[in-house]
Amino acid sequence: MVAGPSYATQAAIWVKSAQPGFAIQGWLDSQGLSFSDMQTMAQWPLAGMTPLTRLVREAVMVAGSRAQLETEGPDRLFHWLNELGQKLGFGQNYLCRIPVAGWHRPIIDWIERTYGLPRK
């Protein structure tokens, strides 16, 4: 697990970023990590629902890699959908990154209810 200077050095960059959630999500992905790993990365981890943690969770949903989506798992992703509300881009990211055999029925039903079926 990555901790220490790399994490601390990046914090200043993230805070200054126009989209700090996406900046953190991208860095986490480059380290092979996801949102859930943040709790174990620092002596004082980001905790609870803050504006910053919300931005990171949204970025994982909308732009997260397959590894990140799989790390979070379908139950957590579905919980986030209900907690955070409609996230434009999540459905496309999920369908593109997760193999069909790994699709979670409640998430697929949510995508269909929210966006409808694809055009033929």
Side-chain angles (χ1 to χ4, degrees):
M1 185 96 27
V2 176
S6 182
Y7 180 75
T9 303
Q10 291 297 314
I13 296 169
W14 300 332
V15 171
K16 295 176 185 175
S17 171
Q19 295 184 311
F22 286 95
I24 295 170
Q25 175 270 320
W27 181 82
L28 288 169
D29 191 37
S30 74
Q31 302 297 313
L33 303 170
S34 189
F35 174 83
S36 297
D37 298 310
M38 289 173 61
Q39 296 300 313
T40 60
M41 289 177 53
Q43 187 175 2
W44 299 280
L46 297 172
M49 183 59 132
T50 65
L52 182 59
T53 57
R54 181 182 177 99
L55 289 173
V56 176
R57 289 184 349 173
E58 290 175 356
V60 168
M61 292 174 69
V62 172
S65 65
R66 176 181 175 181
Q68 287 180 312
L69 296 176
E70 288 175 343
T71 295
E72 300 308 337
D75 292 331
R76 183 174 294 132
L77 291 171
F78 188 67
H79 173 74
W80 290 354
L81 281 173
N82 291 315
E83 183 179 314
L84 300 174
Q86 181 175 339
K87 293 289 122 223
L88 189 62
F90 169 73
Q92 180 178 5
N93 190 47
Y94 184 83
L95 294 174
C96 289
R97 305 257 189 219
I98 302 296
V100 174
W103 287 354
H104 186 60
R105 185 84 235 165
I107 292 176
I108 298 302
D109 291 342
W110 179 89
I111 292 170
E112 182 181 359
R113 278 192 315 276
T114 305
Y115 300 109
L117 297 173
R119 292 184 182 172
K120 294 182 179 187

